Amino acid sequence: ARCVLPVTENNNFPAHLGMRHRAAVGITEATDATAIVVSEQTGEISYSKEGNLKHGVTPEKLAELLEPV
């Protein structure tokens, strides 16, 4: 399966992050979605909401971020 998502056009986006991270930020800029990215290579977790990206999130912190307010 394949899906094309909007990517962020933010010029300050970190160059070392790839298209998954750009798409995660882009979809959260364009919608009310929350996005989670897991690196294939390192297993590192990133979390995006409202166009903001938190990189290097622990599983415990992710659980906190996903709890309803």
Side-chain angles (χ1 to χ4, degrees), residues 19-42:
M19 289 304 291
R20 287 188 189 126
H21 291 86
R22 281 191 173 276
V25 172
I27 197 68
T28 65
E29 287 173 337
T31 70
D32 64 351
T34 297
I36 300 164
V37 181
V38 180
S39 169
E40 273 184 81
Q41 296 161 337
T42 66

Side-chain angles (χ1 to χ4, degrees), residues 24-25 28-29 35 47-54:
V25 172
T28 65
E29 287 173 337
Y47 169 92
S48 184
K49 186 171 184 175
E50 297 175 348
N52 297 305
L53 183 71
K54 294 181 189 292

Side-chain angles (χ1 to χ4, degrees), residues 11-24:
N11 292 332
N12 295 322
F13 192 82
H16 70 280
L17 298 176
M19 289 304 291
R20 287 188 189 126
H21 291 86
R22 281 191 173 276

